Amino acid sequence: MKYILLKAQTICLLFGFVLAFAQQKMKIPADAVFYMEINGRQLNKKIDWQKFNPFLQEVAKEGKEKPSWTDYSKTGIKYDATQYHYAIFNDSVKAYTAHFILDNKEKFQEFINSTKKKGLEVSKKSNYSYVNLDDDVFVAWNGNRAVLKMISYSKPYKDWMEEDSMTVAVDSAVAVIDSTAAAVADSAYADEPEKPFDYKEEIQILKDDIKYLKEDIKEHNTEIARIQKDIKYLEKHHEYPKEKKGSTDTIYSDKNTEVLPPPAEDENMEAEETEEDLAYQKELDSLNIERFKVVKKLAESDFDKYFSSSLEIEVSQDVISFRDLNADVFVYSDYGRIVNEGVYGRMMKRFEFGQIFNTMYNSNSSYNLYFEKDKVKLVNNYQHKDPEVQKNFSSIYKGRKNKKLSALINDKSMGYYMVNLNGSKYFDLMYSLLENSGESDYQKEMELIMETMKIVLDEEAITKIAPGNGIFVLNELKSKTVEYTDYDYDDDYNEKEVKKTKEVMVPNFTFAFATDNERYWNRIFDVLATNKKTAKKFSKKGDYYEFKEGKATGYLDQLFFTVRDGIVYITTSMDNTFPKSQSEKSKQWMKDSAKYPISGRLDMQRLLIGLEKEFKTTSERKIMDVFKKNIGEMYFKTEVKGNRIETEVDYNIKNSSENSLMYFFDLVDDIYKIKESEKKTPIL
């Protein structure tokens, strides 16, 4: 008996495991080009609903007396849970899906009822309910899960870019919809069979052409009549007629204006137009209805699949390999699929060597976003899908450091962009892209091209001209008076040129890069200074070469060039070629610029102050004041980490917001209030 009980317990235990694993996790589609996780546990703590909720009410109002929903902090969605978002697109379907966890089903249903269109009923399935909020937006839910799906469908067309232009593109949606939906799609989009020649139909087409030409003549005669009136009035009064208040019609005192009579109209024209319009509208409505049926069927299919699963989302390890669990938001994008499977990818198929470009873009990027107390941090990880190509990409970011260039950084500058790359490795990358282009039909030609390039190009000599170290320093923006030509008109409307002046902001900058071949660059500048044509604006002054426009119409009418101590300088001022005194802060920037392959910073507040004169209207100046008060400083750095290239961007905020997330909200809210105040009609 004891043995029988033990055996029964074992069977029940095994049966329980079978039930537990019978419902598998919901996998995101393998062809997803975008995936996002929102860390609700962290992000919800950073949202100030007392500020955010009234703003959402105001935006959702859209001219109504009262918003349809009063508390967006209590929609029934569990905001402190993780949200999952992903997007796909193919030849026929584009869809964006978002998964939420619910903490109050009743509250969520109330929220949905306030959002959906009036008259739409909720459809109930065995294990979930769903409703369409719009023609292409659907939402489904059960007791503790909800799915939002935005989906569009378009019938694939005959791709004229393919080798066989008569081959009809395969409809990806057919694989996921049943025969009913497929029939619907065919009825809506199927090409009509070619009909035998019908002379009656041809006569009707010609009649339609006559009607169109009559309408065209009518429009032209109306315009001619209007112009004739203007000519008569101008000849008599030397000005255009004044408009009456509250009326857009112009009253002419000259009643003797000759007007061409309009052509006689067909009595049945108006009736025919109405019938044609109704027929066209009916056909358009039919297409929209059929398209909606297909989209609805696709959405239902995905909902059925999800709510029949364990309701857990399974993501490929390749997608989340660079995810940081401490990030507020994680995003993955398949850049290769986005580019190569879109319009650009189809276009490249037309060219015999187009696959080279597809190989170049065959990569993906991951982003970890952090909303910290005093800054926003974004960390991007780039990785090419081909390990060999990625290896060559990484080798470019391992260049030599150059302290002479770093010494040009100073704390008085508005920003800089510094690179320390290995220029010689560009050739290896180019060769690897050619080798991995997949052009099997032209493999021999590819090999010959590579061998020829290696023979013709002296890689070492080219690298010595510009090894890969460079820096751009934006020192300041200076005001400058420039001349420009405007046009005025006299009483007889004769055009007259008028020379005017205006104040513009021009950059004071330095662009410098390292070279191992100073003689080459000096020879270039010598040629420019001695050539008959270029010498008019390019001359030598001591150790410097000067380019001068000679007119006050250009933004950059003077530049200086020089080569010194292995550095080529191009600058707006000769003083910029010498190191400046550095504070502790700028010394740290100097260290970072020598440490990382790519780094830089930009003081956006100083940049906006320098551009202040470019904002003319009252609205622009108000928005400008908001930005000047709140805009911060940006800093970025790039380096190689393992099998990826990592770039970190830090944006430091400069206001009293609770955190960097609410900082962006406060900024948008201030701008929104300015825009709304302009819409209100002033009280007289």
Side-chain angles (χ1 to χ4, degrees):
M1 186 68 180
K2 186 176 180 180
Y3 171 75
I4 294 174
L5 290 173
L6 182 62
K7 187 173 182 180
Q9 288 177 348
T10 304
I11 293 173
C12 289
L13 184 62
L14 289 173
F15 185 67
F17 275 114
V18 170
L19 287 178
F21 288 99
Q23 290 184 315
Q24 297 182 354
K25 292 182 178 181
M26 175 70 179
K27 295 182 179 180
I28 68 166
D31 58 347
V33 299
F34 169 87
Y35 173 75
M36 177 171 66
E37 284 185 18
I38 297 178
N39 191 338
R41 180 176 57 84
Q42 293 184 172
L43 210 55
N44 190 53
K45 298 176 183 178
K46 301 175 182 180
I47 296 178
D48 185 347
W49 283 105
Q50 290 184 344
K51 285 185 175 181
F52 204 52
N53 195 56
F55 176 76
L56 289 177
Q57 291 181 26
E58 187 68 23
V59 172
K61 186 167 59 177
E62 295 182 355
K64 299 177 182 178
E65 290 287 332
K66 294 181 180 179
S68 56
W69 188 258
T70 58
D71 194 350
Y72 287 89
S73 66
K74 297 179 181 178
T75 59
I77 297 174
K78 188 175 175 61
Y79 289 122
D80 58 355
T82 303
Q83 295 180 17
Y84 304 91
H85 301 244
Y86 56 86
I88 64 168
F89 74 84
N90 50 45
D91 56 338
S92 58
V93 178
K94 296 177 179 63
Y96 184 94
T97 307
H99 291 262
F100 308 93
I101 295 177
L102 303 181
D103 59 6
N104 191 321
K105 177 184 176 182
E106 290 72 24
K107 207 71 176 174
F108 181 75
Q109 287 185 233
E110 290 178 17
F111 174 65
I112 293 300
N113 288 332
S114 70
T115 307
K116 70 180 180 63
K117 291 182 178 179
K118 291 183 179 181
L120 292 177
E121 297 295 330
V122 175
S123 301
K124 293 187 178 181
K125 294 277 191 168
S126 59
N127 52 355
Y128 70 91
S129 302
Y130 83 97
V131 68
N132 57 296
L133 304 180
D134 209 333
D135 290 345
D136 55 358
V137 181
F138 301 81
V139 62
W141 66 94
N142 64 3
N144 54 13
R145 291 289 194 280
V147 183
L148 176 71
K149 200 166 193 71
M150 293 180 285
I151 184 168
S152 65
Y153 171 79
S154 58
K155 186 71 175 178
Y157 56 89
K158 292 179 181 180
D159 195 345
W160 59 273
M161 298 185 208
E162 297 293 339
E163 291 182 6
D164 185 3
S165 61
M166 298 303 294
T167 302
V168 180
V170 178
D171 188 351
S172 300
V174 173
V176 293
I177 56 179
D178 60 16
S179 59
T180 303
V184 166
D186 291 338
S187 66
Y189 296 96
D191 295 333
E192 294 182 2
E194 186 176 353
K195 297 179 181 179
F197 179 78
D198 186 348
Y199 77 94
K200 292 182 179 180
E201 183 179 356
E202 191 67 20
I203 291 173
Q204 184 60 45
I205 292 173
L206 294 174
K207 285 184 177 180
D208 292 340
D209 289 342
I210 292 173
K211 185 178 72 173
Y212 170 78
L213 292 172
K214 286 182 178 180
E215 283 297 304
D216 197 40
I217 293 171
K218 181 180 177 181
E219 290 179 3
H220 283 303
N221 275 297
T222 302
E223 182 65 14
I224 290 170
R226 186 192 65 79
I227 294 172
Q228 285 176 337
K229 288 181 179 180
D230 284 345
I231 292 172
K232 293 288 186 181
Y233 198 91
L234 286 168
E235 287 176 347
K236 185 175 182 179
H237 301 283
H238 300 169
E239 64 179 358
Y240 279 102
K242 297 180 180 178
E243 296 180 1
K244 290 184 177 181
K245 292 184 177 179
S247 173
T248 57
D249 295 330
T250 304
I251 308 299
Y252 293 90
S253 60
D254 190 349
K255 297 181 180 179
N256 298 321
T257 306
E258 181 184 358
V259 181
L260 294 176
E265 295 186 9
D266 192 339
E267 295 178 357
N268 299 322
M269 185 178 294
E270 186 175 348
E272 289 178 2
E273 285 180 356
T274 304
E275 290 176 4
E276 287 182 2
D277 291 342
L278 290 174
Y280 173 76
Q281 188 61 45
K282 185 177 180 180
E283 182 181 358
L284 184 62
D285 291 342
S286 175
L287 288 173
N288 290 335
I289 291 171
E290 303 302 344
R291 186 184 291 111
F292 172 74
K293 289 180 180 179
V294 175
V295 169
K296 182 179 179 182
K297 200 67 181 178
L298 291 169
E300 282 185 3
S301 176
D302 281 353
F303 291 152
D304 289 340
K305 187 185 300 182
Y306 174 68
F307 286 102
S308 297
S309 71
S310 66
L311 304 182
E312 297 295 328
I313 304 296
E314 182 177 341
V315 187
S316 169
Q317 189 60 38
D318 293 338
V319 172
I320 59 175
S321 57
F322 300 129
R323 178 188 60 182
D324 182 3
L325 295 175
N326 294 317
D328 294 317
V329 180
F330 168 75
V331 174
Y332 166 88
S333 61
D334 190 332
Y335 189 65
R337 191 183 294 272
I338 291 172
V339 174
N340 295 335
E341 295 187 5
V343 176
Y344 180 82
R346 292 199 299 270
M347 182 179 67
M348 284 296 102
K349 291 179 182 179
R350 298 182 60 204
F351 301 99
E352 294 178 345
F353 298 100
Q355 188 61 31
I356 297 175
F357 297 97
N358 293 345
T359 303
M360 184 185 305
Y361 294 125
N362 191 26
S363 60
N364 53 58
S365 290
S366 298
Y367 304 85
N368 288 289
L369 180 62
Y370 309 80
F371 293 102
E372 298 179 358
K373 176 67 178 176
D374 57 349
K375 69 178 179 180
V376 182
K377 182 170 74 173
L378 178 67
V379 179
N380 164 239
N381 288 284
Y382 168 89
Q383 188 179 55
H384 198 278
K385 294 180 181 180
D386 188 313
E388 185 63 29
V389 175
Q390 176 59 39
K391 180 181 177 182
N392 287 312
F393 264 116
S394 298
S395 65
I396 293 175
Y397 287 79
K398 297 177 181 179
R400 296 178 298 173
K401 315 306 177 186
N402 193 302
K403 292 184 178 180
K404 294 178 183 177
L405 293 174
S406 301
L408 297 174
I409 298 172
N410 61 87
D411 55 321
K412 293 182 180 181
S413 63
M414 300 174 68
Y416 70 90
Y417 181 83
M418 178 85 173
V419 296
N420 294 304
L421 304 177
N422 189 339
S424 65
K425 296 300 180 181
Y426 279 107
F427 296 96
D428 294 335
L429 174 62
M430 182 171 56
Y431 297 146
S432 68
L433 290 173
L434 290 172
E435 288 177 342
N436 295 279
S437 62
E439 299 282 358
S440 57
D441 294 339
Y442 299 95
Q443 192 62 40
K444 291 182 178 180
E445 288 83 353
M446 283 293 178
E447 292 175 356
L448 178 60
I449 289 173
M450 287 186 290
E451 289 298 324
T452 304
M453 290 174 64
K454 290 178 180 179
I455 293 172
V456 173
L457 298 178
D458 188 341
E459 300 171 10
E460 185 177 351
I462 294 174
T463 304
K464 285 184 177 180
I465 293 173
N469 304 85
I471 189 171
F472 176 85
V473 181
L474 180 60
N475 296 299
E476 60 180 332
L477 294 177
K478 290 184 175 181
S479 178
K480 176 188 175 184
T481 302
V482 298
E483 294 181 356
Y484 69 100
T485 302
D486 200 359
Y487 297 91
D488 284 345
Y489 298 88
D490 58 22
D491 294 339
D492 296 326
Y493 292 92
N494 296 314
E495 186 179 81
K496 182 175 64 174
E497 286 190 3
V498 179
K499 297 293 184 180
K500 296 183 179 180
T501 60
K502 62 179 179 179
E503 292 290 320
V504 298
M505 303 306 297
V506 297
N508 175 16
F509 69 88
T510 303
F511 173 59
F513 57 92
T515 182
D516 292 333
N517 192 339
E518 292 187 19
R519 182 171 173 270
Y520 173 81
W521 291 105
N522 279 318
R523 288 186 64 183
I524 289 180
F525 298 147
D526 282 334
V527 169
L528 291 173
T530 55
N531 182 272
K532 290 183 179 180
K533 292 184 178 180
T534 57
K536 295 177 181 179
K537 297 180 179 180
F538 204 91
S539 59
K540 186 174 183 180
K541 291 188 176 181
D543 294 333
Y544 290 86
Y545 295 86
E546 180 185 20
F547 167 84
K548 197 163 186 177
E549 181 66 32
K551 298 180 181 179
T553 57
Y555 281 76
L556 292 174
D557 58 352
Q558 189 176 30
L559 288 174
F560 296 94
F561 304 79
T562 191
V563 183
R564 185 174 64 243
D565 298 331
I567 304 294
V568 180
Y569 297 90
I570 303 172
T571 179
T572 53
S573 173
M574 290 185 285
D575 293 337
N576 295 337
T577 62
F578 299 98
K580 303 290 192 305
S581 58
Q582 295 178 319
S583 64
E584 289 301 319
K585 191 174 183 180
S586 57
K587 286 180 181 178
Q588 184 59 49
W589 296 335
M590 180 179 173
K591 290 179 182 178
D592 289 345
S593 67
K595 177 181 178 182
Y596 298 104
I598 298 178
S599 63
R601 62 171 287 271
L602 178 62
D603 190 333
M604 300 178 70
Q605 191 173 58
R606 287 185 59 192
L607 179 64
L608 281 179
I609 293 173
L611 295 173
E612 190 170 7
K613 292 185 179 180
E614 300 294 329
F615 297 85
K616 307 295 184 183
T617 67
T618 303
S619 174
E620 289 177 346
R621 287 195 294 269
K622 286 181 179 179
I623 295 175
M624 175 69 172
D625 290 338
V626 171
F627 274 108
K628 282 196 303 182
K629 179 181 177 183
N630 297 287
I631 205 78
E633 183 177 284
M634 185 178 293
Y635 175 80
F636 60 91
K637 57 186 179 182
T638 300
E639 60 183 324
V640 177
K641 286 190 174 181
N643 60 346
R644 67 188 190 276
I645 298 171
E646 182 180 283
T647 299
E648 178 182 327
V649 181
D650 295 331
Y651 176 74
N652 299 307
I653 66 175
K654 285 188 177 181
N655 71 358
S656 57
S657 298
E658 296 94 315
N659 52 63
S660 57
L661 175 62
M662 293 308 298
Y663 157 81
F664 284 106
F665 162 75
D666 291 336
L667 190 61
V668 172
D669 188 37
D670 288 341
I671 296 173
Y672 177 80
K673 289 176 180 177
I674 292 173
K675 292 292 185 182
E676 287 299 304
S677 65
E678 293 175 354
K679 294 179 183 179
K680 296 178 181 179
T681 304
I683 300 174
L684 300 176

